[in-house]
Amino acid sequence: QVQLQESGPGLVKPSETLSLTCTLSGGSISGYFWSWIRQPPGKGLEWIGYIYYSGDTNYNPSLKSRVTISVDTSKNQFSLKLSSVTAADTAVYYCAKVGGTSRFDPWGQGTLVTVSS
Amino acid sequence: QSALTQPPSASGSPGQSVTISCTGTSSDVGGYNYVSWYQQHPGKAPKVMIFEVSKRPSGVPDRFSGSKSGNTASLTVSGLQAEDEADYHCSSYGGSNNYVVFGGGTKLTVL
């Protein structure tokens, strides 16, 4: 069964770029869609975007100007970059596999990213 | 797109049933049978409980059921148990721009 693990800095300065990587184990990244989702402290979930293993992407319109999601099939990884971050981008960031009907399963354990100077 | 609307809280006693609503628009919930529900315990990642409005992944108890009417989807938890106390989030496929939208989450308390 596929497992996902997020990794990256837990602290990012305002105006800088947040970078996270999701590494898969127990399965292949090929043939599927993969997504990033975030959850600000005490708030609901927000879909950031998804990527097909071929590299095709789709982003949340509210974040589209600042988001880049990429994939590295040789490493069984996909990544998130979010530029020009502010305190409002402080959140737990999750990566997840996307089912055929926009079902997210499974999820990584999540990683907290704090934006602060 | 706007977030789906969920009540912030719901509660019930052990053994009772509780229903959580999730209201969207004809562009998301009402337009597609692609509503999912996620259970999230404190400090844990969400877990899918219902997909495609009413389907249960293997391993999810049949106490959990989903339905939809118009632009509103619902999650019903029957025979409430203490371990059902958690946050529940709905999501829907948004169609034309291939986006996904979540609700604000509902905290379910088992009294």
Side-chain angles (χ1 to χ4, degrees), chain A residues 22 24 29-36 47-59 67-73 77-80 95-98 104, chain B residues 98:
Chain A
C22 183
L24 278 67
I29 204 165
S30 296
Y32 298 98
F33 285 87
W34 306 90
S35 192
W36 287 98
W47 172 71
I48 298 172
Y50 59 69
I51 188 165
Y52 193 45
Y53 78 102
S54 62
D56 292 339
T57 55
N58 196 42
Y59 301 134
V67 172
T68 301
I69 298 177
S70 59
V71 64
D72 187 336
T73 54
Q77 295 177 334
F78 63 104
S79 298
L80 168 70
C95 59
K97 181 181 177 182
V98 188
F104 301 106
Chain B
N98 292 317

mmCIF file of all heavy atoms in Angstrom, chain A residues 22 24 29-36 47-59 67-73 77-80 95-98 104, chain B residues 98:
data_model
loop_
_atom_site.group_PDB
_atom_site.id
_atom_site.type_symbol
_atom_site.label_atom_id
_atom_site.label_comp_id
_atom_site.label_asym_id
_atom_site.label_seq_id
_atom_site.Cartn_x
_atom_site.Cartn_y
_atom_site.Cartn_z
ATOM 1 N N CYS A 22 7.097 15.582 -1.526
ATOM 2 C CA CYS A 22 6.335 14.413 -1.083
ATOM 3 C C CYS A 22 6.962 13.170 -1.707
ATOM 4 O O CYS A 22 7.070 13.085 -2.944
ATOM 5 C CB CYS A 22 4.879 14.548 -1.504
ATOM 6 S SG CYS A 22 3.814 13.203 -0.936
ATOM 7 N N LEU A 24 6.950 9.033 -2.202
ATOM 8 C CA LEU A 24 6.103 7.852 -2.159
ATOM 9 C C LEU A 24 6.911 6.610 -1.832
ATOM 10 O O LEU A 24 8.060 6.460 -2.292
ATOM 11 C CB LEU A 24 5.443 7.606 -3.511
ATOM 12 C CG LEU A 24 4.189 8.371 -3.869
ATOM 13 C CD1 LEU A 24 4.483 9.847 -4.032
ATOM 14 C CD2 LEU A 24 3.592 7.817 -5.153
ATOM 15 N N ILE A 29 4.611 6.395 -8.695
ATOM 16 C CA ILE A 29 3.944 7.664 -8.962
ATOM 17 C C ILE A 29 3.289 7.646 -10.351
ATOM 18 O O ILE A 29 2.365 8.434 -10.619
ATOM 19 C CB ILE A 29 4.944 8.827 -8.829
ATOM 20 C CG1 ILE A 29 4.213 10.125 -8.514
ATOM 21 C CG2 ILE A 29 5.826 8.935 -10.066
ATOM 22 C CD1 ILE A 29 5.128 11.230 -8.028
ATOM 23 N N SER A 30 3.724 6.744 -11.192
ATOM 24 C CA SER A 30 3.235 6.707 -12.572
ATOM 25 C C SER A 30 1.783 6.258 -12.655
ATOM 26 O O SER A 30 1.354 5.354 -11.932
ATOM 27 C CB SER A 30 4.112 5.769 -13.411
ATOM 28 O OG SER A 30 5.428 6.275 -13.498
ATOM 29 N N GLY A 31 1.045 6.914 -13.542
ATOM 30 C CA GLY A 31 -0.328 6.511 -13.810
ATOM 31 C C GLY A 31 -1.380 7.178 -12.955
ATOM 32 O O GLY A 31 -2.569 6.924 -13.140
ATOM 33 N N TYR A 32 -0.961 8.068 -12.062
ATOM 34 C CA TYR A 32 -1.916 8.653 -11.122
ATOM 35 C C TYR A 32 -1.759 10.173 -11.019
ATOM 36 O O TYR A 32 -0.762 10.740 -11.428
ATOM 37 C CB TYR A 32 -1.741 8.045 -9.729
ATOM 38 C CG TYR A 32 -1.993 6.559 -9.689
ATOM 39 C CD1 TYR A 32 -0.921 5.669 -9.731
ATOM 40 C CD2 TYR A 32 -3.276 6.055 -9.630
ATOM 41 C CE1 TYR A 32 -1.129 4.293 -9.711
ATOM 42 C CE2 TYR A 32 -3.503 4.688 -9.603
ATOM 43 C CZ TYR A 32 -2.425 3.814 -9.640
ATOM 44 O OH TYR A 32 -2.646 2.464 -9.623
ATOM 45 N N PHE A 33 -2.789 10.784 -10.403
ATOM 46 C CA PHE A 33 -2.757 12.187 -10.034
ATOM 47 C C PHE A 33 -2.337 12.298 -8.568
ATOM 48 O O PHE A 33 -2.665 11.429 -7.751
ATOM 49 C CB PHE A 33 -4.145 12.832 -10.180
ATOM 50 C CG PHE A 33 -4.561 13.104 -11.605
ATOM 51 C CD1 PHE A 33 -5.208 12.135 -12.359
ATOM 52 C CD2 PHE A 33 -4.321 14.342 -12.191
ATOM 53 C CE1 PHE A 33 -5.607 12.378 -13.661
ATOM 54 C CE2 PHE A 33 -4.722 14.601 -13.498
ATOM 55 C CZ PHE A 33 -5.360 13.626 -14.232
ATOM 56 N N TRP A 34 -1.651 13.408 -8.254
ATOM 57 C CA TRP A 34 -1.163 13.652 -6.902
ATOM 58 C C TRP A 34 -1.456 15.099 -6.537
ATOM 59 O O TRP A 34 -1.429 15.984 -7.387
ATOM 60 C CB TRP A 34 0.332 13.355 -6.828
ATOM 61 C CG TRP A 34 0.635 11.975 -7.324
ATOM 62 C CD1 TRP A 34 0.928 11.620 -8.615
ATOM 63 C CD2 TRP A 34 0.596 10.775 -6.565
ATOM 64 N NE1 TRP A 34 1.086 10.249 -8.696
ATOM 65 C CE2 TRP A 34 0.893 9.713 -7.459
ATOM 66 C CE3 TRP A 34 0.355 10.486 -5.221
ATOM 67 C CZ2 TRP A 34 0.956 8.382 -7.041
ATOM 68 C CZ3 TRP A 34 0.409 9.165 -4.808
ATOM 69 C CH2 TRP A 34 0.708 8.129 -5.707
ATOM 70 N N SER A 35 -1.706 15.343 -5.249
ATOM 71 C CA SER A 35 -2.201 16.662 -4.869
ATOM 72 C C SER A 35 -1.534 17.195 -3.601
ATOM 73 O O SER A 35 -0.988 16.433 -2.804
ATOM 74 C CB SER A 35 -3.715 16.601 -4.648
ATOM 75 O OG SER A 35 -4.281 17.895 -4.555
ATOM 76 N N TRP A 36 -1.579 18.512 -3.473
ATOM 77 C CA TRP A 36 -1.207 19.192 -2.236
ATOM 78 C C TRP A 36 -2.444 19.867 -1.662
ATOM 79 O O TRP A 36 -3.235 20.476 -2.395
ATOM 80 C CB TRP A 36 -0.120 20.227 -2.500
ATOM 81 C CG TRP A 36 1.232 19.651 -2.768
ATOM 82 C CD1 TRP A 36 1.818 19.439 -3.982
ATOM 83 C CD2 TRP A 36 2.174 19.204 -1.794
ATOM 84 N NE1 TRP A 36 3.052 18.877 -3.824
ATOM 85 C CE2 TRP A 36 3.310 18.730 -2.494
ATOM 86 C CE3 TRP A 36 2.191 19.157 -0.395
ATOM 87 C CZ2 TRP A 36 4.433 18.209 -1.839
ATOM 88 C CZ3 TRP A 36 3.304 18.651 0.254
ATOM 89 C CH2 TRP A 36 4.411 18.186 -0.472
ATOM 90 N N TRP A 47 -7.646 23.034 -0.916
ATOM 91 C CA TRP A 47 -6.968 22.363 -2.012
ATOM 92 C C TRP A 47 -6.021 23.340 -2.697
ATOM 93 O O TRP A 47 -6.412 24.442 -3.049
ATOM 94 C CB TRP A 47 -8.002 21.828 -3.004
ATOM 95 C CG TRP A 47 -7.420 21.282 -4.260
ATOM 96 C CD1 TRP A 47 -6.709 20.127 -4.393
ATOM 97 C CD2 TRP A 47 -7.507 21.846 -5.566
ATOM 98 N NE1 TRP A 47 -6.346 19.961 -5.706
ATOM 99 C CE2 TRP A 47 -6.828 20.987 -6.455
ATOM 100 C CE3 TRP A 47 -8.097 23.002 -6.090
ATOM 101 C CZ2 TRP A 47 -6.723 21.249 -7.824
ATOM 102 C CZ3 TRP A 47 -8.002 23.261 -7.452
ATOM 103 C CH2 TRP A 47 -7.314 22.395 -8.304
ATOM 104 N N ILE A 48 -4.756 22.940 -2.883
ATOM 105 C CA ILE A 48 -3.759 23.804 -3.513
ATOM 106 C C ILE A 48 -3.649 23.502 -5.007
ATOM 107 O O ILE A 48 -3.602 24.415 -5.846
ATOM 108 C CB ILE A 48 -2.379 23.620 -2.846
ATOM 109 C CG1 ILE A 48 -2.440 24.011 -1.367
ATOM 110 C CG2 ILE A 48 -1.310 24.423 -3.583
ATOM 111 C CD1 ILE A 48 -1.180 23.670 -0.580
ATOM 112 N N GLY A 49 -3.615 22.210 -5.344
ATOM 113 C CA GLY A 49 -3.499 21.859 -6.759
ATOM 114 C C GLY A 49 -3.137 20.393 -6.903
ATOM 115 O O GLY A 49 -2.898 19.695 -5.924
ATOM 116 N N TYR A 50 -3.132 19.929 -8.158
ATOM 117 C CA TYR A 50 -2.700 18.556 -8.384
ATOM 118 C C TYR A 50 -1.861 18.451 -9.648
ATOM 119 O O TYR A 50 -1.818 19.363 -10.481
ATOM 120 C CB TYR A 50 -3.875 17.585 -8.404
ATOM 121 C CG TYR A 50 -4.952 17.805 -9.435
ATOM 122 C CD1 TYR A 50 -4.727 17.604 -10.789
ATOM 123 C CD2 TYR A 50 -6.244 18.162 -9.042
ATOM 124 C CE1 TYR A 50 -5.730 17.785 -11.723
ATOM 125 C CE2 TYR A 50 -7.250 18.330 -9.967
ATOM 126 C CZ TYR A 50 -6.994 18.145 -11.302
ATOM 127 O OH TYR A 50 -7.991 18.323 -12.227
ATOM 128 N N ILE A 51 -1.144 17.330 -9.751
ATOM 129 C CA ILE A 51 -0.279 17.079 -10.891
ATOM 130 C C ILE A 51 -0.461 15.632 -11.332
ATOM 131 O O ILE A 51 -0.616 14.727 -10.507
ATOM 132 C CB ILE A 51 1.206 17.374 -10.546
ATOM 133 C CG1 ILE A 51 2.063 17.286 -11.800
ATOM 134 C CG2 ILE A 51 1.718 16.453 -9.438
ATOM 135 C CD1 ILE A 51 3.455 17.915 -11.627
ATOM 136 N N TYR A 52 -0.497 15.413 -12.640
ATOM 137 C CA TYR A 52 -0.498 14.082 -13.200
ATOM 138 C C TYR A 52 0.949 13.641 -13.326
ATOM 139 O O TYR A 52 1.857 14.477 -13.421
ATOM 140 C CB TYR A 52 -1.194 14.103 -14.557
ATOM 141 C CG TYR A 52 -1.546 12.749 -15.126
ATOM 142 C CD1 TYR A 52 -2.142 11.763 -14.335
ATOM 143 C CD2 TYR A 52 -1.337 12.446 -16.471
ATOM 144 C CE1 TYR A 52 -2.490 10.537 -14.860
ATOM 145 C CE2 TYR A 52 -1.672 11.221 -17.006
ATOM 146 C CZ TYR A 52 -2.252 10.264 -16.191
ATOM 147 O OH TYR A 52 -2.595 9.046 -16.716
ATOM 148 N N TYR A 53 1.193 12.338 -13.329
ATOM 149 C CA TYR A 53 2.576 11.877 -13.364
ATOM 150 C C TYR A 53 3.327 12.356 -14.609
ATOM 151 O O TYR A 53 4.548 12.448 -14.623
ATOM 152 C CB TYR A 53 2.612 10.343 -13.281
ATOM 153 C CG TYR A 53 2.275 9.638 -14.580
ATOM 154 C CD1 TYR A 53 3.287 9.104 -15.374
ATOM 155 C CD2 TYR A 53 0.966 9.535 -15.024
ATOM 156 C CE1 TYR A 53 3.000 8.462 -16.566
ATOM 157 C CE2 TYR A 53 0.663 8.903 -16.214
ATOM 158 C CZ TYR A 53 1.681 8.367 -16.977
ATOM 159 O OH TYR A 53 1.384 7.738 -18.174
ATOM 160 N N SER A 54 2.542 12.701 -15.636
ATOM 161 C CA SER A 54 3.150 13.186 -16.880
ATOM 162 C C SER A 54 3.604 14.643 -16.773
ATOM 163 O O SER A 54 4.325 15.145 -17.639
ATOM 164 C CB SER A 54 2.147 13.073 -18.027
ATOM 165 O OG SER A 54 1.016 13.893 -17.766
ATOM 166 N N GLY A 55 3.142 15.327 -15.706
ATOM 167 C CA GLY A 55 3.516 16.718 -15.523
ATOM 168 C C GLY A 55 2.386 17.711 -15.701
ATOM 169 O O GLY A 55 2.553 18.895 -15.392
ATOM 170 N N ASP A 56 1.240 17.273 -16.195
ATOM 171 C CA ASP A 56 0.091 18.169 -16.331
ATOM 172 C C ASP A 56 -0.384 18.613 -14.945
ATOM 173 O O ASP A 56 -0.464 17.803 -14.025
ATOM 174 C CB ASP A 56 -1.065 17.471 -17.046
ATOM 175 C CG ASP A 56 -0.749 17.198 -18.504
ATOM 176 O OD1 ASP A 56 0.142 17.868 -19.064
ATOM 177 O OD2 ASP A 56 -1.393 16.300 -19.085
ATOM 178 N N THR A 57 -0.710 19.906 -14.826
ATOM 179 C CA THR A 57 -1.083 20.448 -13.519
ATOM 180 C C THR A 57 -2.408 21.195 -13.563
ATOM 181 O O THR A 57 -2.872 21.614 -14.633
ATOM 182 C CB THR A 57 -0.011 21.428 -13.009
ATOM 183 O OG1 THR A 57 0.195 22.449 -14.000
ATOM 184 C CG2 THR A 57 1.293 20.717 -12.710
ATOM 185 N N ASN A 58 -2.999 21.381 -12.391
ATOM 186 C CA ASN A 58 -4.158 22.241 -12.223
ATOM 187 C C ASN A 58 -4.102 22.821 -10.814
ATOM 188 O O ASN A 58 -3.847 22.075 -9.857
ATOM 189 C CB ASN A 58 -5.464 21.472 -12.419
ATOM 190 C CG ASN A 58 -6.635 22.412 -12.636
ATOM 191 O OD1 ASN A 58 -6.533 23.400 -13.359
ATOM 192 N ND2 ASN A 58 -7.753 22.129 -12.007
ATOM 193 N N TYR A 59 -4.319 24.144 -10.723
ATOM 194 C CA TYR A 59 -4.128 24.823 -9.452
ATOM 195 C C TYR A 59 -5.398 25.518 -8.984
ATOM 196 O O TYR A 59 -6.237 25.928 -9.792
ATOM 197 C CB TYR A 59 -3.023 25.872 -9.574
ATOM 198 C CG TYR A 59 -1.679 25.346 -10.000
ATOM 199 C CD1 TYR A 59 -0.941 25.988 -10.982
ATOM 200 C CD2 TYR A 59 -1.131 24.200 -9.416
ATOM 201 C CE1 TYR A 59 0.304 25.517 -11.372
ATOM 202 C CE2 TYR A 59 0.102 23.717 -9.799
ATOM 203 C CZ TYR A 59 0.823 24.379 -10.784
ATOM 204 O OH TYR A 59 2.053 23.895 -11.167
ATOM 205 N N VAL A 67 1.841 29.388 -7.159
ATOM 206 C CA VAL A 67 2.066 27.950 -6.960
ATOM 207 C C VAL A 67 2.710 27.285 -8.167
ATOM 208 O O VAL A 67 2.334 27.558 -9.312
ATOM 209 C CB VAL A 67 0.728 27.240 -6.659
ATOM 210 C CG1 VAL A 67 0.923 25.718 -6.634
ATOM 211 C CG2 VAL A 67 0.174 27.699 -5.315
ATOM 212 N N THR A 68 3.652 26.389 -7.878
ATOM 213 C CA THR A 68 4.188 25.486 -8.895
ATOM 214 C C THR A 68 4.284 24.100 -8.282
ATOM 215 O O THR A 68 4.879 23.929 -7.214
ATOM 216 C CB THR A 68 5.581 25.918 -9.368
ATOM 217 O OG1 THR A 68 5.526 27.237 -9.901
ATOM 218 C CG2 THR A 68 6.091 24.959 -10.445
ATOM 219 N N ILE A 69 3.681 23.117 -8.942
ATOM 220 C CA ILE A 69 3.805 21.721 -8.534
ATOM 221 C C ILE A 69 4.529 20.983 -9.644
ATOM 222 O O ILE A 69 4.199 21.144 -10.826
ATOM 223 C CB ILE A 69 2.423 21.085 -8.260
ATOM 224 C CG1 ILE A 69 1.719 21.820 -7.109
ATOM 225 C CG2 ILE A 69 2.591 19.604 -7.903
ATOM 226 C CD1 ILE A 69 0.309 21.314 -6.820
ATOM 227 N N SER A 70 5.528 20.206 -9.257
ATOM 228 C CA SER A 70 6.324 19.470 -10.233
ATOM 229 C C SER A 70 6.460 18.013 -9.791
ATOM 230 O O SER A 70 6.172 17.669 -8.649
ATOM 231 C CB SER A 70 7.700 20.111 -10.401
ATOM 232 O OG SER A 70 8.370 20.137 -9.159
ATOM 233 N N VAL A 71 6.891 17.155 -10.719
ATOM 234 C CA VAL A 71 7.022 15.727 -10.427
ATOM 235 C C VAL A 71 8.364 15.219 -10.906
ATOM 236 O O VAL A 71 8.901 15.681 -11.921
ATOM 237 C CB VAL A 71 5.858 14.939 -11.078
ATOM 238 C CG1 VAL A 71 5.911 15.045 -12.597
ATOM 239 C CG2 VAL A 71 5.843 13.495 -10.611
ATOM 240 N N ASP A 72 8.934 14.289 -10.153
ATOM 241 C CA ASP A 72 10.169 13.610 -10.533
ATOM 242 C C ASP A 72 9.895 12.116 -10.440
ATOM 243 O O ASP A 72 9.974 11.525 -9.354
ATOM 244 C CB ASP A 72 11.315 14.025 -9.606
ATOM 245 C CG ASP A 72 12.660 13.476 -10.049
ATOM 246 O OD1 ASP A 72 12.677 12.434 -10.767
ATOM 247 O OD2 ASP A 72 13.698 14.051 -9.699
ATOM 248 N N THR A 73 9.558 11.507 -11.579
ATOM 249 C CA THR A 73 9.178 10.099 -11.563
ATOM 250 C C THR A 73 10.366 9.201 -11.209
ATOM 251 O O THR A 73 10.182 8.134 -10.628
ATOM 252 C CB THR A 73 8.592 9.677 -12.921
ATOM 253 O OG1 THR A 73 9.522 10.001 -13.955
ATOM 254 C CG2 THR A 73 7.275 10.392 -13.186
ATOM 255 N N GLN A 77 8.772 11.150 -6.522
ATOM 256 C CA GLN A 77 8.476 12.332 -5.704
ATOM 257 C C GLN A 77 7.701 13.366 -6.518
ATOM 258 O O GLN A 77 7.808 13.430 -7.739
ATOM 259 C CB GLN A 77 9.780 12.999 -5.230
ATOM 260 C CG GLN A 77 10.626 12.195 -4.292
ATOM 261 C CD GLN A 77 11.929 12.917 -3.950
ATOM 262 O OE1 GLN A 77 12.422 13.743 -4.708
ATOM 263 N NE2 GLN A 77 12.469 12.599 -2.782
ATOM 264 N N PHE A 78 6.939 14.189 -5.791
ATOM 265 C CA PHE A 78 6.406 15.401 -6.397
ATOM 266 C C PHE A 78 6.582 16.526 -5.383
ATOM 267 O O PHE A 78 6.720 16.276 -4.168
ATOM 268 C CB PHE A 78 4.963 15.239 -6.870
ATOM 269 C CG PHE A 78 3.939 14.943 -5.801
ATOM 270 C CD1 PHE A 78 3.080 15.936 -5.349
ATOM 271 C CD2 PHE A 78 3.791 13.654 -5.294
ATOM 272 C CE1 PHE A 78 2.115 15.659 -4.393
ATOM 273 C CE2 PHE A 78 2.830 13.368 -4.341
ATOM 274 C CZ PHE A 78 1.994 14.374 -3.884
ATOM 275 N N SER A 79 6.612 17.752 -5.890
ATOM 276 C CA SER A 79 7.016 18.877 -5.047
ATOM 277 C C SER A 79 6.070 20.058 -5.190
ATOM 278 O O SER A 79 5.346 20.194 -6.175
ATOM 279 C CB SER A 79 8.432 19.320 -5.424
ATOM 280 O OG SER A 79 9.358 18.270 -5.208
ATOM 281 N N LEU A 80 6.129 20.917 -4.167
ATOM 282 C CA LEU A 80 5.329 22.135 -4.126
ATOM 283 C C LEU A 80 6.243 23.320 -3.893
ATOM 284 O O LEU A 80 7.129 23.279 -3.042
ATOM 285 C CB LEU A 80 4.319 22.055 -2.971
ATOM 286 C CG LEU A 80 3.591 23.352 -2.601
ATOM 287 C CD1 LEU A 80 2.595 23.746 -3.687
ATOM 288 C CD2 LEU A 80 2.883 23.212 -1.239
ATOM 289 N N CYS A 95 0.323 16.088 1.442
ATOM 290 C CA CYS A 95 0.280 15.569 0.088
ATOM 291 C C CYS A 95 -0.641 14.342 0.087
ATOM 292 O O CYS A 95 -0.833 13.695 1.120
ATOM 293 C CB CYS A 95 1.656 15.219 -0.449
ATOM 294 S SG CYS A 95 2.605 13.993 0.494
ATOM 295 N N ALA A 96 -1.241 14.069 -1.052
ATOM 296 C CA ALA A 96 -2.210 12.981 -1.129
ATOM 297 C C ALA A 96 -2.290 12.436 -2.547
ATOM 298 O O ALA A 96 -2.017 13.149 -3.521
ATOM 299 C CB ALA A 96 -3.590 13.453 -0.676
ATOM 300 N N LYS A 97 -2.699 11.181 -2.654
ATOM 301 C CA LYS A 97 -2.986 10.572 -3.951
ATOM 302 C C LYS A 97 -4.426 10.919 -4.316
ATOM 303 O O LYS A 97 -5.309 10.936 -3.453
ATOM 304 C CB LYS A 97 -2.811 9.062 -3.874
ATOM 305 C CG LYS A 97 -3.070 8.321 -5.175
ATOM 306 C CD LYS A 97 -2.896 6.814 -4.970
ATOM 307 C CE LYS A 97 -3.221 6.040 -6.227
ATOM 308 N NZ LYS A 97 -3.103 4.571 -6.015
ATOM 309 N N VAL A 98 -4.650 11.190 -5.595
ATOM 310 C CA VAL A 98 -5.982 11.561 -6.056
ATOM 311 C C VAL A 98 -6.649 10.385 -6.751
ATOM 312 O O VAL A 98 -6.092 9.822 -7.702
ATOM 313 C CB VAL A 98 -5.932 12.757 -7.019
ATOM 314 C CG1 VAL A 98 -7.354 13.241 -7.334
ATOM 315 C CG2 VAL A 98 -5.113 13.891 -6.430
ATOM 316 N N PHE A 104 -9.258 12.007 -2.214
ATOM 317 C CA PHE A 104 -7.882 12.056 -1.746
ATOM 318 C C PHE A 104 -7.636 10.891 -0.788
ATOM 319 O O PHE A 104 -8.183 10.849 0.305
ATOM 320 C CB PHE A 104 -7.598 13.381 -1.050
ATOM 321 C CG PHE A 104 -7.818 14.584 -1.941
ATOM 322 C CD1 PHE A 104 -8.920 15.402 -1.762
ATOM 323 C CD2 PHE A 104 -6.948 14.866 -2.980
ATOM 324 C CE1 PHE A 104 -9.139 16.491 -2.590
ATOM 325 C CE2 PHE A 104 -7.161 15.954 -3.818
ATOM 326 C CZ PHE A 104 -8.254 16.765 -3.625
ATOM 327 N N ASN B 98 -11.804 22.039 -13.445
ATOM 328 C CA ASN B 98 -11.159 20.886 -12.809
ATOM 329 C C ASN B 98 -10.625 21.205 -11.426
ATOM 330 O O ASN B 98 -9.556 20.736 -11.042
ATOM 331 C CB ASN B 98 -10.022 20.344 -13.677
ATOM 332 C CG ASN B 98 -10.543 19.712 -14.951
ATOM 333 O OD1 ASN B 98 -11.531 18.991 -14.917
ATOM 334 N ND2 ASN B 98 -9.900 19.999 -16.055
#
